[in-house]
Amino acid sequence: MTANDAERILTRKQNGVGRITLDRPEALNALDLGMAQAIMRALDGWREDPDVQVVLLDGAGYRGFCAGGDVRALHRALASGDFTPGDEFLRHEYRTDLAIAEYATPIVSIADGVTMGGGIGLASHAHVRIVTETASLAMPETRIGFTPDAGGSWLLAHAPGRIGEYLALTSDTMGPADAIYAGFADHFVRRADVGAVRHALETRADPATATELVMLFDETPEEGDLRAAREWIDEAFAIDTAEGVVDRLRSLAEDPRWSGRRISPATALAALEERPPTALAVTLAAIRSSRALRGLREAIDQEHRLVTWFAETQPDMLEGIRAQMIDKDRAPRWNPATFADLSDDIVGDAFSYEPARPLFD
């Protein structure tokens, strides 16, 4: 077993399984630069290793697989006026996400507990994606003033119907059934059986492939909320503009068919009314743009450009992280605060932005 206190990653090989464990449980295994670099080193070291037939990616502790990127570090970079350290982290994080998706050896991820933002970038680009009954998945970026990243826009763009637009704009949380339905996970395994899954991967009981072994423990979770909400989600979130989506939700919120449910037009409306108009407008365009891209690499490159635009030209990212994660007053002051004050060119400005350093050469 290899561990580095600064990196907070545990790696080890046993019986053909290379295991990478995020080991920062006091911070819900939030990913920082050293952790992203350590994951990449492990993957690079095992690429040609004949003793590693499967890679297992999990998190320490019982509260979460990974709560996302270290947004406190991002806040420090934003507040300093020099986003170079923040960009350095994002570059390593995004390249790690892509490496997981493109890895030749099968990677099995276990999203147990909180799995958000950058955590989804690690777990949901794996080849075999497990969620437990405690899994709580979300792309919460619009809550803190920017747009889904870590390959999240690609996943959201390929969710059924307009589920991706709904999840991206509202930052709503998915339990295990919804995560599978939306395409963020493949299999539901109870937490009590996760140890048996690890053991089966190491002992290589028949059947031999990682997918077949996980299927031995796969169960059907209780039905989620998204499938039943598809009708109104598809209607509202197909509107061309974020402001139009809000207007349609206002009219649908009066429909008694959807009242009393965990997610409804009224709950979606309430969420969007708390989000910054800039993030909503750009995110809606990002999901639709990702739907037309050729693959994850292009989507991640687009995300890098958009997130850099938010970080280097817009005030909402700094303010959103402050309000939600630093001061925790939950009272962000968005600028602009309303759609009426939003520039007509805002989406075009975001998509035409070129960072000083491209993500991919």
Side-chain angles (χ1 to χ4, degrees):
M1 180 181 295
T2 301
N4 186 315
D5 289 340
E7 294 168 348
R8 308 305 302 269
I9 295 290
L10 304 175
T11 62
R12 58 278 207 201
K13 292 192 305 183
Q14 184 172 341
N15 299 328
V17 177
R19 186 173 171 189
I20 301 172
T21 299
L22 282 64
D23 188 32
R24 196 185 179 194
E26 75 284 358
L28 291 177
N29 297 317
L31 188 70
D32 62 18
L33 175 60
M35 293 167 72
Q37 291 172 325
I39 294 170
M40 184 64 88
R41 279 198 297 275
L43 293 176
D44 286 343
W46 292 337
R47 285 182 193 279
E48 308 297 330
D49 190 335
D51 293 329
V52 176
Q53 286 88 48
V54 176
V55 175
L56 179 62
L57 183 59
D58 60 8
Y62 292 94
R63 297 167 58 209
F65 166 71
C66 176
D70 189 344
V71 294
R72 292 177 181 273
L74 287 177
H75 186 269
R76 288 193 295 272
L78 290 165
S80 74
D82 178 9
F83 192 61
T84 303
D87 183 62
E88 190 67 15
F89 163 67
L90 294 178
R91 296 171 70 82
H92 283 277
E93 178 189 16
Y94 296 166
R95 288 173 177 269
T96 301
D97 299 331
L98 186 63
I100 289 171
E102 295 180 343
Y103 208 61
T105 302
I107 297 180
V108 178
S109 65
I110 301 175
D112 182 35
V114 174
T115 304
M116 296 186 177
I120 283 178
L122 299 176
S124 293
H125 297 309
H127 306 85
V128 183
R129 305 167 301 173
I130 295 171
V131 284
T132 72
E133 70 273 19
T134 70
S136 179
L137 281 69
M139 298 301 297
E141 289 78 9
T142 59
R143 291 183 66 241
I144 49 178
F146 65 114
T147 194
D149 64 344
S153 70
W154 179 255
L155 296 165
L156 292 161
H158 294 86
R162 302 295 177 165
I163 294 294
E165 283 96 330
Y166 166 80
L167 292 170
L169 270 61
T170 64
S171 309
D172 195 21
T173 300
M174 295 174 279
D178 283 338
I180 293 170
Y181 177 65
F184 284 71
D186 305 303
H187 304 287
F188 172 65
V189 175
R190 296 193 181 278
R191 173 181 277 181
D193 293 328
V194 166
V197 170
R198 296 191 188 105
H199 179 72
L201 291 170
E202 291 178 354
T203 57
R204 289 296 194 283
D206 289 331
T209 71
T211 298
E212 290 171 327
L213 286 169
V214 171
M215 285 291 292
L216 296 175
F217 304 91
D218 193 0
E219 298 185 28
T220 301
E222 294 183 10
E223 188 169 340
D225 301 303
L226 290 176
R227 190 185 299 271
R230 267 288 301 276
E231 182 179 345
W232 67 262
I233 287 176
D234 285 356
E235 178 180 344
F237 287 86
I239 304 299
D240 289 341
T241 66
E243 185 175 14
V245 171
V246 170
D247 289 341
R248 184 59 57 89
L249 288 171
R250 285 198 181 101
S251 65
L252 289 171
E254 303 299 323
D255 192 329
R257 290 179 297 166
W258 316 117
S259 62
R261 304 189 184 193
R262 187 190 73 82
I263 61 173
S264 67
T267 62
L269 175 63
L272 266 58
E273 288 179 334
E274 294 178 350
R275 304 291 180 265
T278 302
L280 293 180
V282 173
T283 294
L284 186 64
I287 302 308
R288 291 174 179 172
S289 175
S290 289
R291 198 170 279 138
L293 297 178
R294 291 178 295 179
L296 177 63
R297 178 178 289 263
E298 287 189 358
I300 287 179
D301 184 58
Q302 175 176 275
E303 292 169 354
H304 177 252
R305 288 186 283 109
L306 293 175
V307 173
T308 306
W309 175 81
F310 273 102
E312 295 183 344
T313 74
Q314 301 298 303
D316 284 345
M317 190 171 175
L318 178 64
E319 173 64 7
I321 297 174
R322 179 207 65 77
Q324 300 293 345
M325 309 296 295
I326 307 300
D327 297 339
K328 298 183 180 180
D329 58 27
R330 308 293 191 263
R333 296 177 290 275
W334 305 126
N335 182 19
T338 68
F339 286 113
D341 296 327
L342 200 63
S343 165
D344 292 339
D345 301 326
I346 196 74
V347 171
D349 290 346
F351 276 80
S352 63
Y353 191 77
E354 292 294 339
R357 295 175 61 200
L359 182 60
F360 302 115
D361 297 327

